[in-house]
Each structure stands twice: as structure tokens, then as C-alpha cells.
Amino acid sequence: MAYWLLPASIDIIAWPPGGPVRVALFASLFKLWVALATGLVAAVALLFTGPVERTARARIIAPLLLLWLWTLPYWPWLPDRAPALLILAGPLRWVIAAAAVLGVAAAWVREHRIRVGLSIGRGSVFVLSLALYAGLGLWSLASVGPGGDEPHYLIITHSLLVDRDLKIENNHLRGDYRAFWRGELRPDYFVRGQNGAIYSIHSPGLAAVILPGYAIAGARGAVVTMALFGALAAVAIFDVALVIGGPAIALLTWLAVCLTVPFVPHSWMLYPEMAGAAIVAWSVRWLLEGRAGKPAEESDGVPASTPVSGRPDQPPPTRRRSAEARVHRTTRATAEGLHDSRTSPLTWLWRGACLGLLPWLHTKFVVLLAVLALLLLWRLRTRLREASAFAAAVALLSLAWLSYFYVIYGSIDPQVAYGAYAAQNVRFDNLPRSLLGLLIDQKFGLLVYSPVYLLAGLGVWHLARDSRRRGLALALTAVAVPYVIGSARLHMWWGGNSAPARFMVPILPLLAPAIATALLSVRSPLGRATAGLWVAFGLMVAAIGIAFPDRLLLLSDPHGIARFLEAIQGSAPIAAALPTFTQEEWTTPMVRALPWIAAALGALSVAWVASARSRCGPFWIASAEAVAFLIAGSLLSSSSAGAVRADATLRGRLGLMTAYDPDRLRALDYATMAKLDPAALLRASVLEIQPPPDDEIDARGRISAALVLPPGRFEARVWFQGQRPQDGDLLLSARRGDVLARAGGPLANPATLPFALPVRVGVSLSLSEQSSARAVQQVQMVPISIVPRSRRLNIQPRAIESIAGHPGGALVYADDQAYPEGGVFWTRAANRAEVAAVPAGASQLVLTVHVGPIARGVVILTVNGRNLDVEMGPDETRQVVVDVPAGAALVPIVVQAPGFFRPASVDPKSTDTRALGAQVRVELR
């Protein structure tokens, strides 16, 4: 059945009061019969084995039964009552398949009695963390570049490096940011300094600590520096968990904290939170020195070093025994080092200097500094020399921090740089909304992306019950609570354009010991299954979120729905039914969250019954818990709300267009249980778009959100209030604002705009006159013909621009190796750039190639598969004319320059610091 459903899809195309109307696309029944016959042959082959082998093999393949979940969205009754189940027909089904495969692997290991254990030391943790964070960070930088406040931190670093000051106005005027930022970047400040200069609102501490890396390798070096902070924090977290629970718990804690959101992706993002988290993590490690007696060398009866493989009745090989002995010695040395508090005053001077950096990273970190300094001084109360050295470093850096504000702004108040912003936006009135948002907001909530942090509460309770570690529980709470309250007072609690739970990152090391304690205390099958499910869910979310950096799945806009949920929900009404707390009013989102909280409690009850009344293992308990949560949440949530129904219907019809392939798939209307021919399928895909309210129409006059349409021919239809013609033009624009089609005014009622799309691209409708945009009553997007999915060109456009002088002509940019400039583009440095021209009936393509002041060389030029390389000298221009094949929808163009130059380096008046290779102007005849 899973094989047959591989190409299938199901979408909601209408949602009247009686319930959703679904249309499914299925492969031919012939494939189903072939799959069933193959499965039957395999089952018969299994039956003819011996009873012992048959039972063992059945247990091994049993996890594949999870694939029956793929069928739930296609059932005729249940999905109409629980529409959230449609998520199982979207990308989430691959997670189910992965869980089934992993379950098979685990069952095979268990049946063959192979003992599996991982022996990993702190050195390996550091190397693995650094390699992972740096690699992913550089990949993200190359794919999408810095975002949010990241370029503002980089411009401060650049000013420190080049001008040796913190005055950034001249750097913005010169355009120094163009080395790492493509658009225009304005100075981020509220008030000028006493000398009239502009100083960034962002603290200079992060800019200073990433300066060496930036000096060596620019933005890449800064990203690697942040990855280093992340790796240092990971090592400290591992060390603390090692003392609490031994190697197995330390490894699991590292996975649960350091490889999940929000540790990922903040481990490489240019924000101060990860640097602060590294300092906090090592402060917790210093606090733990001398606290307990012997280090924990066993966890739940599992030795610290467990054989990686081999049968239990056989001695492990000598090589494995020696490796385990090394890890055992490392474990003991690390733990004993944590319990050896004999350190020199010089060491504590250095530690005080590290802690004193916290407010330099961000003003709100002063809370962490104050509480951690007091706790560490209490630990040193009997050691005057060490305490004096530590206190002196903290005091000097704190005094310098206050002096920084006095010298620049004339006041020692750290809020002076924020002007009136702090008084207006930092209030205790924001606490309810902010605290709820920090925990359960669908875009930025900690528990939504990493439910494993629920274990921290259980861990704190266990720490408080242990007389030896009660002080640790109080210390961690004393640091975390004031910081969270201080951060939650801010109106913009999510931290702007950033990944989930950004403001929670510095306290993750405070939660890690509690999580390690909770993992150590969990012994029941239900507890192990639930903890394992939460850890696996966090790892899955992080993996999906970082696998496609250009889709920004973990970087949602403050208003709207979460990009991550939007990507995985398919046609299910999940995101619209989950709460978000970025608006002022928070009681309605809280009410929306209650059904999902109830569903979570119900799922735990189902899992408890499964564990108490059967011999189910953790795998099946966790599976039952996850499915119960999804079904209960869908049944209890307000999926029938008007906004939810409209959103699901719009996405469903878009999904139907995307999956359109009448040559290979057959459509079934669940309302009538009848097949749909291609014409009926196109009629069912007509988009009904509600125009935005008058107060939400932006300066561009947009009357529709961005819609990702497949290649094909369409017609936009717009109805206005009244009967008179409307002024202005009706425009179809790409996401960058380039106009792809235009209907000139005055506009009839309804106004129509036919257009064609060569590839799948995001577009929106707008009106050039604001009065006409406010008069819009209804909008339709009608598909006239759609290119079947199996015949579409495999191009994921990064941008699309119209070609002047030829209606319908356009340039499609297939990668980020070109700088689009309106029908003209420069290649990025000497990289290979791929674009495609939409000829729109033209018979010839005219390419004007120009190179700047670079050495003579060959410009690689390939058009529609033809090699047209040209040798060019400095500042030379050539024109190449290519015939367009009849009926061609796209003409691929590949350009690569032999070298590059920076305009600012050759022209003192230029502020353009981009690395430019070859310029290409595209014309159609």
C-alpha cells in the first residue's frame, strides 16, 4: 500500500459547514495489484521458513506496520472529522518511513543479541560539534547569507578592523556591508552619541570577539568563530552531564540539547546568545567543582563503557577493550577534574574575565553576570586569593562597561542607547504573552520545537530531592528565573528575525543538568518511550530545519504562520490551528492552545495504558503516543474556524495544481466518490482569494499573498465594488517585485490578466492605484492549462525578472551565482552562473557580454547546450546572437568569467565591494 501511495496526494478543495471536501490523486490500480502481489509472495516465503526463524523475522519487520499510517488520510470518514490527519500524506510521511526503518534496524540488532553502545569522550564531542556547526554555518552563509541583525554585528566588526572605532555611519555611507549584504543596510541606532556620531544599538562585545575570525576570512571567519563558541558550550554541557549520569547520559544530553533547536542554528548565527551560552555553560561547570563525591560511572546499571558489538558471551576484541579503557580513563579524569576545586588565582582571574564579558555581549546578560558572580563567589568564600582575583576581573570589566555608556552617551545608564524604546517596550505587562510565546508559540516557542525541555522540570524536582545537589537546583533556578523574566518584559520577546527561542539560548546550559538528571531517573517503559520520543522529535525538527537552508524553515516572519509547519503540514490545517503570541492579544491564542495541551495529556494516557496492559516495548509505546496526540489534537482543535477553513482550502487547491499529472495520476472526488477528468480537475483548482482589509494594503497595492504556482497558463480575475471602471494597472509580480504581466487601465469589472509561467514560481497580484486596491471585492486565479508534473523542467528559481521590450519574456535565475539587475546580470566572482531565458515566442536571443578590468581570458558561455566560449580582454564587450528553437519554453544559459574585480577597488567613487565577473545583457528579437 505504501508503494502504491508514493505518488499519491490528497487535498481539501472546499470546506462547507458539512465538512471538508477532499480530492485525491492516485496512481493506476495496476501498480496497486503489482505491489499486493509482491507483498503476498514475500509473505508466503516467510511462512515456509521454520517456526523459530519465522517468528524472529516477523518481529524484525513488524515496525514496517507503521507504514499503514500513510493510508489514514485516504480513509473515507476519519479524516473528515480529524482533518489534521492529512499531514500524514505530506512530507511528514518520510519521517514515518524513517522511523519504521530505524525500528527494523533496532529489532534486527535485538534479535541477533548484538550489544550496542557508544563510547565518546569530550574531545570527540568538541570536534564533532565544531565540525557540524561550522559546516552547517558556512553552508547557510553561502545559501542565504546573513539575516536579521547579523549584518549589523558584522558592520561593527568591520569598523573595528578598518577604522579602529565604533562609529559606523561612515561604513554605511561607503557601503562596506556589501561584502556580506546584498541590499541596502541602514545604521541601526536610536540616539547619536555625545559627539554627534552614530554608534550601533547593538553591544560591541560580539563584534570584538568575532574580530579575529573576520580579519582572517571575513563573514566566514565570523561564522566559524560562532561555531567555536557553540562547540565550547557543548563540551561544558557534556562534562556536567557526565558527572551527573555517566557517559550514556552525557551523550544523550548532548544530543538532546546541543543538536536540537534552539542550540541549532544559533550555534553559527551571528547573535550574542551563543557566546553568552558558552560562558554560562562553563560557569555551571565551575559551580559543580567540588560539589559531589565520586563521579557517576554507571547509568541505570549500564557500565560506563559498553561494547559496541559482539555477543554477550564472547569477550570483546583487544582493540575494542583498549578503546573502552581510554574512554573510561577520560571519563574518570573529566569527572575528577570537575570535583577538584584546587585552582590558582590566575585561573579565577581568567574566569572572572570571561564572566565579565556577559554584559558586553548584550545588556540583558547583566542579570546572568550578577547572579553567577554571586554564586561563584559563594563557592570561593573560604579561598580569599581566588575570590579576590575573580571579583577584581568582574568588577573591572563591569566598570569599563558602564564607562562605555558614559563616554559615548554621557550617562552610565545602559538603557540610554535605546532612547525612549526601553520605557515604551520593556514592561511587566508583557510577561503573560511573552512567557507563553517563549514556550508554546508555533514560530518561536521552545517546547514546540524541542519538547525534551519538559524534562527540565522533572530534573529540577529530582535535584531538589537530593540533599547533595539541592544547592545546584537552587543555583540553576536563581540564575534562570530572573533572566527569563527580564527577557519576557520585552514587547518583541521573539528577538526579531531569528530562529525559535533565541532569548532562551543563554539558559540552555542551566537546563541541561536538570535534563541529565531527568534522563537518569526515568526507568519505566512509559518514561523511556516518552523521553526517547521527545529527543527524537527534537532531532528530527533540527535535521529538517537545517537541511534546506535556502527555505529558511527555522526563520519565520513575526506575523503569520511558522515556515516549518507550512513546509510539513501538506494540506492539513495544522499551522492555522496552532497558537501564536506575536500579537498584542494573548487570551485567544491561549484558548487555541488548550486542545493541544489536552491532546498531549490524552496521548500520555494512551501510552500509559499501552505500557500497563501489554508487553509493548518503548518503540510501540512512543508510536502509540505520537498517533494518539495527532488524532486527539485534530479532533479537539477548532479546525472548523472560518480562517482555518479558508487557509486549508486555498492550500488544497494550490496542492492540486502542483500535483496535476493526468497522464500518470487519477483523481477521485470524495464528495461524490467519482473520478474527475483533467478539465474537472482544473475547475476544482480555481483559487478564490480574499483581498486584504483596507488597512492592510501596502504601498505596492498588493491584493493577494504570494502564491507559488506551477508552470502553465493562467488568468487572474478581479471584481470591484460597483460597476464603474477602475484606474491604474493590474500587475503580476514575482517575489522580488519584478513585473511579469500587466493589464493597463482603466480596468473593466471584472478585470482580467492572462499570463504564462515557464517554471514553478511565487507570484502576487497588485494594483498600481491604492483606491482601486481598496475597492477590490473578489480575486480569482484560474488555471487554463497546467504542465503535467512529470513534464516540468527541474529548475528551482531563486529569482525571476522580466526582459524589457518583449512581453512575456523573462530571465529565471537557477542559483545564487548571479546578481540580477533587471534583465542584466553580473556573475558572482569567477563562479559558474546558471540562468534560463523565457523566449515567449522570440526567434533570436541576443547576449551582450562585458568584462571589467580583469586579465585576458576565456569567458565560458553555453547557450541551450551549445558551447560559445569567447576570449576577452580587460573592459571588452562582445555580442552573441543565438537562434531560439521553435516552441522552446526555456533557453538555458551558463556563464563563467575567467576572473573578477571589485568596483570599489578600481574606482574611488564607487561603494560597490561585490566580486564581479562577467556582465550579461539579455535581449529578445
Side-chain angles (χ1 to χ4, degrees):
M1 292 296 294
Y3 171 77
W4 181 57
L5 292 175
L6 276 174
S9 64
I10 187 164
D11 298 285
I12 297 173
I13 63 164
W15 202 329
V21 176
R22 294 174 290 147
V23 169
L25 298 178
F26 293 108
S28 66
L29 289 178
F30 174 76
K31 289 187 175 182
L32 175 60
W33 300 128
V34 171
L36 290 176
T38 305
L40 181 62
V41 170
V44 171
L46 182 63
L47 285 174
F48 279 97
T49 58
V52 176
E53 293 83 358
R54 181 167 62 243
T55 303
R57 292 175 184 174
R59 281 197 294 262
I60 289 173
I61 66 173
L64 293 178
L65 291 170
L66 283 181
L67 294 178
W68 278 109
L69 293 174
W70 284 23
T71 68
L72 283 182
Y74 302 95
W75 291 11
W77 177 81
L78 183 61
D80 295 334
R81 275 70 181 175
L85 290 177
L86 296 183
I87 196 174
L88 299 177
L92 192 65
R93 61 180 178 161
W94 299 113
V95 176
I96 297 172
V101 172
L102 290 175
V104 169
W108 183 85
V109 169
R110 186 170 56 251
E111 288 296 328
H112 289 80
R113 297 183 180 181
I114 298 175
R115 299 181 64 187
V116 178
L118 290 177
S119 298
I120 185 171
R122 63 197 308 266
S124 300
V125 167
F126 175 78
V127 172
L128 289 173
S129 300
L130 180 59
L132 181 68
Y133 300 154
L136 292 173
L138 293 174
W139 183 24
S140 175
L141 183 67
S143 300
V144 298
D149 291 335
E150 291 181 293
H152 293 289
Y153 285 107
L154 286 174
I155 201 69
I156 303 173
T157 306
H158 188 86
S159 181
L160 286 171
L161 178 65
V162 176
D163 302 331
R164 293 177 174 80
D165 61 28
L166 294 171
K167 294 178 286 189
I168 60 172
E169 186 172 15
N170 61 320
N171 304 102
H172 284 271
L173 291 175
R174 289 200 307 257
D176 294 342
Y177 53 81
R178 289 195 176 94
F180 46 79
W181 182 255
R182 298 180 188 176
E184 181 182 356
L185 189 68
R186 296 181 178 179
D188 200 0
Y189 74 104
F190 286 109
V191 296
R192 289 179 178 264
Q194 293 188 99
N195 57 1
I198 292 179
Y199 297 88
S200 178
I201 191 65
H202 304 285
S203 299
L206 181 66
V209 296
I210 65 176
L211 179 59
Y214 183 83
I216 295 172
R220 296 183 182 89
V223 168
V224 173
T225 304
M226 293 307 303
L228 177 61
F229 284 122
L232 290 172
V235 169
I237 290 171
F238 180 85
D239 285 348
V240 172
L242 187 66
V243 174
I244 290 175
I249 294 299
L251 176 61
L252 194 56
T253 304
W254 173 64
L255 291 172
V257 175
C258 302
L259 298 186
T260 59
V261 177
F263 213 91
V264 171
H266 286 105
S267 292
W268 58 82
M269 296 186 74
L270 300 175
Y271 289 104
E273 274 72 19
M274 185 49 63
I279 296 174
V280 172
W282 281 88
S283 298
V284 174
R285 190 183 188 277
W286 301 332
L287 276 173
L288 205 59
E289 288 178 349
R291 278 198 168 270
K294 295 293 183 182
E297 294 182 8
E298 295 189 358
S299 172
D300 289 331
V302 180
S305 299
T306 305
V308 177
S309 62
R311 296 186 180 276
D313 56 344
Q314 296 177 351
T318 303
R319 181 181 302 175
R320 186 179 303 127
R321 188 185 298 117
S322 61
E324 292 169 0
R326 273 199 311 275
V327 173
H328 185 75
R329 288 195 300 272
T330 302
T331 299
R332 179 180 293 275
T334 301
E336 289 178 350
L338 273 173
H339 293 274
D340 181 11
S341 58
R342 294 172 294 178
T343 49
S344 67
L346 185 61
T347 298
W348 281 101
L349 181 69
W350 175 81
R351 292 179 176 182
C354 290
L355 201 65
L357 284 175
L358 281 172
W360 285 96
L361 294 170
H362 200 289
T363 299
K364 66 184 177 183
F365 291 172
V366 71
V367 177
L368 299 174
L369 168 65
V371 183
L372 286 171
L374 289 175
L375 291 171
L376 288 168
L377 283 172
W378 177 255
R379 297 298 302 160
L380 297 171
R381 63 189 181 277
T382 60
R383 299 158 59 187
L384 183 59
R385 295 178 60 197
E386 289 86 344
S388 300
F390 175 77
V394 171
L396 286 174
L397 279 170
S398 300
L399 182 62
W401 176 62
L402 295 175
S403 300
Y404 163 80
F405 294 102
Y406 182 79
V407 170
I408 293 179
Y409 300 105
S411 172
I412 63 171
D413 182 4
Q415 298 188 58
V416 66
Y418 297 89
Y421 179 85
Q424 296 171 357
N425 295 279
V426 182
R427 306 190 310 269
F428 283 100
D429 296 347
N430 295 323
L431 282 181
R433 179 179 70 107
S434 299
L435 291 174
L436 289 170
L438 285 169
L439 293 177
I440 58 174
D441 182 87
Q442 65 163 279
K443 300 183 292 293
F444 306 105
L446 176 68
L447 300 180
V448 172
Y449 291 85
S450 294
V452 70
Y453 285 99
L454 286 168
L455 292 176
L458 176 64
V460 169
W461 183 70
H462 278 287
L463 284 172
R465 292 182 61 198
D466 187 345
S467 59
R468 298 174 304 167
R469 289 178 174 155
R470 188 171 299 140
L472 177 61
L474 293 175
L476 298 178
T477 304
V479 180
V481 171
Y483 172 80
V484 172
I485 292 176
S487 299
R489 291 174 61 209
L490 181 63
H491 176 270
M492 194 173 63
W493 56 265
W494 56 92
N497 185 18
S498 57
R502 172 187 160 190
F503 287 170
M504 299 290 278
V505 170
I507 67 166
L508 298 184
L510 303 173
L511 303 180
I515 291 176
T517 302
L519 292 173
L520 184 64
S521 65
V522 170
R523 298 182 182 276
S524 66
L526 173 60
R528 291 178 182 271
T530 302
L533 176 64
W534 289 348
V535 173
F537 178 84
L539 293 172
M540 175 204 72
V541 168
I544 296 175
I546 63 181
F548 309 97
D550 56 323
R551 298 183 64 180
L552 305 175
L553 297 182
L554 296 177
L555 296 169
S556 300
D557 294 326
H559 306 293
I561 64 176
R563 283 199 180 109
F564 183 87
L565 292 174
E566 188 178 20
I568 70 168
Q569 68 181 344
S571 60
I574 295 288
L578 287 174
T580 178
F581 295 88
T582 52
Q583 302 292 342
E584 289 286 348
E585 200 273 329
W586 59 270
T587 55
T588 300
M590 184 60 212
V591 172
R592 188 176 293 177
L594 292 177
W596 296 98
I597 296 174
L601 297 175
L604 284 172
S605 302
V606 170
W608 178 78
V609 172
S611 63
R613 299 192 178 184
S614 66
R615 295 189 298 174
C616 292
F619 177 84
W620 292 109
I621 295 173
S623 300
E625 191 173 348
V627 175
F629 172 74
L630 184 61
I631 294 177
S634 179
L635 290 172
L636 296 175
S637 63
S638 56
S639 298
S640 58
V644 176
R645 295 199 304 267
D647 173 75
T649 301
L650 179 63
R651 288 186 296 104
R653 296 189 179 192
L654 282 170
L656 206 59
M657 289 188 194
T658 302
Y660 180 84
D661 198 351
D663 297 340
R664 299 188 177 187
L665 301 176
R666 306 294 181 265
L668 175 67
D669 185 349
Y670 273 74
T672 60
M673 298 305 292
K675 295 181 180 179
L676 296 179
D677 58 28
L681 200 57
L682 290 177
R683 289 195 298 271
S685 303
V686 174
L687 301 181
E688 303 280 351
I689 304 168
Q690 284 298 115
D694 291 350
D695 57 351
E696 293 184 12
I697 295 177
D698 59 16
R700 293 171 55 187
R702 280 189 292 189
I703 56 175
S704 78
L707 304 170
V708 181
L709 300 179
R713 293 189 301 111
F714 300 85
E715 186 175 89
R717 299 171 185 171
V718 181
W719 282 262
F720 302 96
Q721 298 173 2
Q723 299 298 321
R724 66 179 184 84
Q726 296 291 325
D727 297 328
D729 297 342
L730 178 61
L731 310 173
L732 181 85
S733 305
R735 284 181 175 173
R736 288 170 48 93
D738 302 299
V739 176
L740 303 180
R742 178 191 303 265
L747 300 172
N749 193 4
T752 60
L753 175 62
F755 62 93
L757 297 177
V759 294
R760 189 169 182 259
V761 64
V763 297
S764 61
L765 283 172
S766 61
L767 285 155
S768 60
E769 288 290 334
Q770 289 281 324
S771 59
S772 299
R774 291 189 173 91
V776 172
Q777 192 172 30
Q778 184 183 2
V779 180
Q780 279 188 353
M781 199 75 77
V782 182
I784 307 301
S785 64
I786 298 177
V787 178
R789 188 169 189 172
S790 57
R791 301 184 203 166
R792 295 172 194 168
L793 299 172
N794 187 22
I795 294 180
Q796 299 294 328
R798 301 301 178 92
I800 185 168
E801 292 183 325
S802 57
I803 298 178
H806 196 93
L811 277 180
V812 179
Y813 295 87
D815 55 32
D816 288 324
Q817 302 306 319
Y819 295 105
E821 295 181 352
V824 181
F825 65 89
W826 280 95
T827 62
R828 183 190 296 270
N831 300 338
R832 174 190 175 97
E834 296 186 14
V835 301
V838 180
S843 59
Q844 287 186 326
L845 193 66
V846 182
L847 305 179
T848 304
V849 184
H850 172 77
V851 293
I854 61 177
R856 175 173 293 275
V858 175
V859 176
I860 296 176
L861 180 64
T862 305
V863 181
N864 204 30
R866 291 177 55 194
N867 187 357
L868 302 172
D869 297 352
V870 291
E871 184 175 356
M872 302 180 68
D875 292 314
E876 188 175 353
T877 301
R878 294 281 188 91
Q879 191 174 80
V880 178
V881 180
V882 183
D883 292 331
V884 176
L890 286 175
V891 180
I893 303 171
V894 177
V895 186
Q896 185 174 10
F900 65 91
F901 72 102
R902 297 184 187 275
S905 301
V906 298
D907 183 2
K909 297 181 180 180
S910 175
T911 60
D912 191 350
T913 59
R914 295 177 299 172
L916 304 180
Q919 184 194 61
V920 181
R921 179 181 299 275
V922 181
E923 298 174 282
L924 295 171
R925 294 177 182 171

